[in-house]
């Protein structure tokens, strides 16, 4: 029985049924009964079935499940991800492109009959609080119970989404089939002009939880450009100050560069004593829209966290770990067979002696240590309900969203980029966003540790021409005027001559947030340098870590090396000219002006 009478939904569903030819169709209403039945079904599949999920220790990890994906299917596949717009130029130089009709023609035979002998699940969901004017509705069709259970954590899933939609045609049509999980036939395709996403031959998170990167970033960024708002790869956090005021900050870092960690940080002792508190609104995606008062408001369109497991521990990210203790799904981590719990590198220093590697191979706690082998995949993940997070913001479900005071960019940069600096203005801030670059991580397939440009941490997620996207940033700034958030850049990853991180990071990043908030409040001065405003020596609070961050180290952390910056600017000019403009990226003239200005500053 269908859950809606919306003719647009029903027509599309009928078409997809005719195409995929499932034996059975199940509408997901979001009820606990239905979820329990699906969990029972997926956990009772025979061992060796690639779709199987396992119950973990239900005393220690109540409601928690475990799943492993195929070895060739453990991360996003950027080379197989497409933006299909009618005009190639509208996809721009950062995207793979194919003509929509050609792509539909190519994929249709692959979906034809793909669900024979299987069940099709139809999942209505809301991105953002159901009552929020910023929220949007999606419907995902899938043949995977793993996807249904993940969507239940990651979105507001169920009938309420259809109630909100009414008879409107404004919903994103998401079609997923795991098919044969054949990497040669894997496609992650966005059709922004049709509000449509087609994903096939994968069963890994970012490729199949279509609400996430496919909708909430690729499709939503396109919608935002047309409708006057922004979809960004940003965490959202609130810092409550001792005077009771909460300031909200958004931060964009590339995949696996510290968003979840910053979003949930626990301030150092001294700050806690003074009465500071940090609240999480989101850890990965922000939708930003000007409010009636002219300020920029953010909602987190998601309802859970799809976080990197390795490196997560009670010290590095207590709140993330706590969020995974019930009703969570673990993917591609290792199993501790002694008590049927989970383990990953960086959880603690005691890998289990009786373990199952993420690949499913049992080990005796010795062999796996050979040559960089890891028990858990470096991109293994937890899917955890936001409601579990001890520091979840009281504004998490707010329909209006939270007003943003600061936007922060960052990436993994071993040199050049200082610990923190502030842009001269919004246009310069947009330039700084366009200049984000980072070392690649295990979040996407391909080489790890390679330096690449990742503008606004959105390189894999901008659903249209990157030049138009930068223009949209400039337009939003013009609209917000003096109410626009201040823009900053941070770098937790600067290294010394011996290759060690100079900044302790994690909870100590509060010290940098503190400076950022004081800049927004206008209560701290800064040094005007060639590249932007930098903290004056002594203004980053190091009380409690003076031994680790000596004045010499702080000088290095805040250094603006003229030679390195001259190289940086030359590389940016090359990047704009060769990688973007020459390949059809419509770069706004204002951004070239910033480049000229910084170059002139450096030559002064
Ligand atoms: P996605 O979910 O892929 O978008 O990643 P993310 O940006 O949320 O990254 P996450 O917070 O999961 O961090 C990924 C890795 O970065 C962790 O395993 C940490 O080891 C490392 N990391 C995070 N914050 C810091 C920091 O302040 N300093 C250092 N040195 N490493 C950090
Ligand atoms: C990222 O890669 O930025 C993630 C994980 O947050 S995924 O959902 O796979 O995109
Ligand atoms: Mn992400």
């Amino acid at each position: 029985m269908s859950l809606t009478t919306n003719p647009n939904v029903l027509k599309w569903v009928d078409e997809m049924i005719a195409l995929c030819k499932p034996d059975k169709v199940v509408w997901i209403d979001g009820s606990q009964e239905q979820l329990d039945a699906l969990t029972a079904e997926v956990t009772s599949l025979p061992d060796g079935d690639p779709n199987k999920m396992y119950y973990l220790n239900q005393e220690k990890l109540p409601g928690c499940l475990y799943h492993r994906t195929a070895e060739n299917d453990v991360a996003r596949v950027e080379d197989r991800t497409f933006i299909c717009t009618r005009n190639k130029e509208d996809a721009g130089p950062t995207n793979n492109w194919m003509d929509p009709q050609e792509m539909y023609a190519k994929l249709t035979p692959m979906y034809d009959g793909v669900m024979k002998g299987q069940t099709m699940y139809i999942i209505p969901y809301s991105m953002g609080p159901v009552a929020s004017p910023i929220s949007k509705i999606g419907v995902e069709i899938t043949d995977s119970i793993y996807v249904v259970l993940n969507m239940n954590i990651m979105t507001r899933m169920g009938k309420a989404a259809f109630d909100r939609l009414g008879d409107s045609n404004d919903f994103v049509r998401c079609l997923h089939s795991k098919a044969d999980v054949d990497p040669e036939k894997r496609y992650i395709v966005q059709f922004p002009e049709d509000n449509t996403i087609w994903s096939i031959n994968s069963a890994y998170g970012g490729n199949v939880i279509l609400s996430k990167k496919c909708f909430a970033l690729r499709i939503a960024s396109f919608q935002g450009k047309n409708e006057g708002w922004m979809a960004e790869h940003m965490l959202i956090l609130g810092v409550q100050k001792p005077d009771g005021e909460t300031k909200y900050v958004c931060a964009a870092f590339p995949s696996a560069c510290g968003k979840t960690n910053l979003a949930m940080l626990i301030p150092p002792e001294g700050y806690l004593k003074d009465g500071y508190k940090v609240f999480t609104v989101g850890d990965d995606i922000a939708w930003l829209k000007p409010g009636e008062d002219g300020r920029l408001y953010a909602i987190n369109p998601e309802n859970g966290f799809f976080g990197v497991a390795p490196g997560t521990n009670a010290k590095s990210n207590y709140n993330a770990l706590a969020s995974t203790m019930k009703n969570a799904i673990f993917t591609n981590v290792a199993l501790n067979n002694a008590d049927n719990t989970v383990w990953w590198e960086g959880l603690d220093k005691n890998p289990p002696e009786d373990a199952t590697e993420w690949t499913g191979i049992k080990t005796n706690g010795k062999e796996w240590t050979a040559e960089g082998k890891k028990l858990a995949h470096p991109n293994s993940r937890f899917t955890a309900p936001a409601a579990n997070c001890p520091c979840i913001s009281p504004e998490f479900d707010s329909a209006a969203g939270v007003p943003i005071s600061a936007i922060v960019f960052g990436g993994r940069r071993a040199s050049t980029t200082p610990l923190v600096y502030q842009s001269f203005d919004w246009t310069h801030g947009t330039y700084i966003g366009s200049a984000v670059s980072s070392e690649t991580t295990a979040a996407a397939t391909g080489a790890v540790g390679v330096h690449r440009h990742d503008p606004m941490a959105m390189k894999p997620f901008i659903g249209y021409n990157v030049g138009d996207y930068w223009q949209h940033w400039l337009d939003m700034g013009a609209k917000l005027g003096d109410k626009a958030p201040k823009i900053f850049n941070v770098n937790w990853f600067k290294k010394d001559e011996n290759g060690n991180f100079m900044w302790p990071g994690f909870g100590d990043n509060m010290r940098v947030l503190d400076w950022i908030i004081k800049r927004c409040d206008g209560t701290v001065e800064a040094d005007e340098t060639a590249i932007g405003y930098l903290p004056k020596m002594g203004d980053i609070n190091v009380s409690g870590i003076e031994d680790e961050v000596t004045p010499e180290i702080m000088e290095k952390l805040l250094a603006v090396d003229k030679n390195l910056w001259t190289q940086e600017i030359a590389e940016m000019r090359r990047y704009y000219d060769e990688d973007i403009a020459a390949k059809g990226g419509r770069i706004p003239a204002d951004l070239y002006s910033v480049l000229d200005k910084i170059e002139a500053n450096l030559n002064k």
Side-chain angles (χ1 to χ4, degrees):
M1 200 187 61
S2 57
L3 270 185
T4 177
T5 53
N6 180 314
N8 307 294
V9 173
L10 294 178
K11 178 168 177 282
W12 171 66
V13 166
D14 282 347
E15 285 166 11
M16 295 305 107
I17 292 173
L19 175 61
C20 301
K21 305 180 177 59
D23 278 19
K24 209 174 131 195
V25 175
V26 172
W27 293 75
I28 299 297
D29 59 19
S31 69
Q32 196 55 48
E33 279 160 276
Q34 192 182 43
L35 291 166
D36 290 346
L38 290 172
T39 305
E41 183 180 335
V42 80
T43 51
S44 57
L45 291 170
D47 275 343
D49 185 314
N51 303 311
K52 185 173 174 68
M53 296 176 76
Y54 298 82
Y55 278 112
L56 290 161
N57 184 321
Q58 291 300 296
E59 261 145 50
K60 295 185 176 172
L61 297 167
C64 289
L65 298 171
Y66 173 70
H67 178 64
R68 55 177 85 91
T69 60
E71 285 184 49
N72 65 32
D73 188 30
V74 294
R76 285 182 293 99
V77 281
E78 295 180 5
D79 55 333
R80 308 199 64 92
T81 299
F82 288 78
I83 299 292
C84 296
T85 45
R86 280 188 295 275
N87 296 317
K88 185 171 187 204
E89 310 79 67
D90 291 337
T94 56
N95 288 307
N96 299 312
W97 174 86
M98 199 188 278
D99 173 76
Q101 292 319 315
E102 230 173 277
M103 184 59 94
Y104 285 126
K106 184 184 176 73
L107 297 187
T108 295
M110 290 168 65
Y111 284 103
D112 189 4
V114 74
M115 296 186 192
K116 270 186 194 152
Q118 300 189 60
T119 304
M120 169 188 277
Y121 302 97
I122 301 166
I123 311 170
Y125 62 95
S126 171
M127 294 309 281
V130 177
S132 172
I134 310 176
S135 296
K136 293 252 178 199
I137 301 299
V139 182
E140 177 160 352
I141 290 180
T142 179
D143 49 16
S144 160
I145 295 178
Y146 172 78
V147 169
V148 176
L149 298 180
N150 272 279
M151 290 293 285
N152 177 51
I153 298 173
M154 295 307 296
T155 73
R156 278 107 170 152
M157 178 182 95
K159 187 160 184 318
F162 276 145
D163 294 344
R164 151 91 195 241
L165 184 65
D167 276 346
S168 163
N169 194 26
D170 184 11
F171 67 98
V172 177
R173 295 149 161 81
C174 311
L175 174 64
H176 164 250
S177 174
K178 49 197 173 356
D180 303 318
V181 193
D182 178 349
E184 303 299 320
K185 296 188 187 144
R186 187 168 296 155
Y187 287 92
I188 316 299
V189 182
Q190 285 69 208
F191 302 92
E193 290 151 350
D194 301 343
N195 265 351
T196 295
I197 302 161
W198 281 14
S199 158
I200 192 159
N201 275 302
S202 174
Y204 163 77
N207 300 329
V208 300
I209 304 171
L210 299 183
S211 59
K212 196 172 179 56
K213 295 312 184 353
C214 302
F215 177 176
L217 290 180
R218 297 195 189 100
I219 298 284
S221 61
F222 177 86
Q223 295 175 326
K225 178 197 58 157
N226 295 325
E227 298 167 10
W229 53 282
M230 305 161 94
E232 299 294 335
H233 195 198
M234 291 177 175
L235 67 93
I236 311 163
L237 63 77
V239 178
Q240 189 183 328
K241 301 185 288 177
D243 66 10
E245 192 205 7
T246 303
K247 277 256 174 347
Y248 292 94
V249 176
C250 282
F253 310 151
S255 299
C257 289
K259 286 182 301 301
T260 302
N261 275 271
L262 187 67
M264 299 180 192
L265 82 76
I266 296 181
E269 202 53 45
Y271 281 91
L272 291 174
K273 265 204 201 106
D274 289 345
Y276 283 90
K277 276 189 196 144
V278 168
F279 293 105
T280 309
V281 181
D283 82 321
D284 197 50
I285 298 175
W287 284 1
L288 301 137
K289 198 174 189 173
E292 272 164 24
D293 61 0
R295 295 187 67 191
L296 190 61
Y297 283 76
I299 63 161
N300 173 7
E302 302 191 286
N303 201 26
F305 312 120
F306 186 61
V308 179
T312 306
N313 61 56
K315 194 163 168 275
S316 68
N317 196 345
Y318 167 84
N319 288 315
L321 195 62
S323 305
T324 68
M325 289 295 149
K326 60 178 187 204
N327 303 327
I329 297 170
F330 295 88
T331 304
N332 295 335
V333 301
L335 289 175
N336 179 350
N337 298 320
D339 63 353
N340 193 27
T341 56
V342 288
W343 194 85
W344 49 78
E345 278 68 21
L347 176 64
D348 55 43
K349 296 206 168 81
N350 311 305
E353 285 184 10
D354 178 7
T356 303
E357 287 185 28
W358 72 269
T359 50
I361 295 168
K362 297 218 185 212
T363 73
N364 58 12
K366 295 186 183 69
E367 263 104 88
W368 58 267
T369 47
E371 285 192 89
K373 259 210 169 176
K374 303 268 201 270
L375 272 187
H377 189 275
N379 192 38
S380 55
R381 300 245 166 191
F382 54 78
T383 320
N388 282 359
C389 182
C391 60
I392 197 71
S393 166
E395 299 298 318
F396 179 74
D397 281 313
S398 153
V402 294
I404 299 303
S405 296
I407 290 175
V408 181
F409 292 111
R412 286 176 191 263
R413 297 297 304 271
S415 70
T416 312
T417 315
L419 178 63
V420 59
Y421 66 103
Q422 183 188 351
S423 71
F424 295 121
D425 53 32
W426 180 276
T427 303
H428 178 218
T430 302
Y431 166 82
I432 290 175
S434 81
V436 169
S437 64
S438 192
E439 291 155 26
T440 51
T441 66
T445 53
V448 167
V450 179
H451 189 250
R452 78 158 180 188
H453 288 276
D454 192 348
M456 279 79 170
M458 283 283 283
K459 150 100 180 47
F461 309 122
I462 302 166
Y464 58 104
N465 188 305
V466 59
D468 297 349
Y469 168 77
W470 291 335
Q471 184 61 53
H472 183 52
W473 263 80
L474 296 174
D475 293 344
M476 291 295 294
K479 189 167 175 183
L480 293 162
D482 60 5
K483 292 192 172 142
K486 306 267 184 283
I487 302 181
F488 298 81
N489 195 87
V490 300
N491 180 17
W492 317 139
F493 300 93
K494 210 169 181 186
K495 289 183 174 169
D496 64 17
E497 312 77 53
N498 304 318
N500 298 316
F501 293 126
M502 289 193 280
W503 178 249
F506 301 98
D508 287 310
N509 294 331
M510 178 67 207
R511 300 165 188 279
V512 173
L513 282 180
D514 182 19
W515 185 79
I516 288 172
I517 286 165
K518 288 197 172 107
R519 286 298 293 166
C520 295
D521 282 340
T523 54
V524 70
E525 297 289 303
D527 286 332
E528 184 168 344
T529 74
I531 65 160
Y533 297 114
L534 265 93
K536 289 182 179 295
M537 276 303 286
D539 279 350
I540 299 286
N541 171 11
V542 289
S543 103
I545 53 167
E546 300 91 338
D547 294 349
E548 212 178 328
V549 186
T550 60
E552 297 76 62
I553 290 178
M554 187 52 83
E555 284 213 27
K556 285 188 192 162
L557 282 166
L558 296 179
V560 179
D561 183 288
K562 192 179 162 188
N563 286 332
L564 290 175
W565 273 94
T566 304
Q567 282 170 37
E568 176 85 5
I569 293 298
E571 167 54 24
M572 272 309 288
R573 202 176 284 285
R574 187 210 61 76
Y575 170 65
Y576 273 10
D577 289 346
E578 291 176 20
D579 294 359
I580 305 297
K583 295 186 176 151
R586 307 181 267 232
I587 302 181
D590 283 354
L591 293 187
Y592 269 114
S593 304
V594 174
L595 204 49
D596 294 341
K597 180 181 159 192
I598 308 245
E599 190 170 55
N601 287 349
L602 286 163
N603 288 333
K604 250 184 224 156

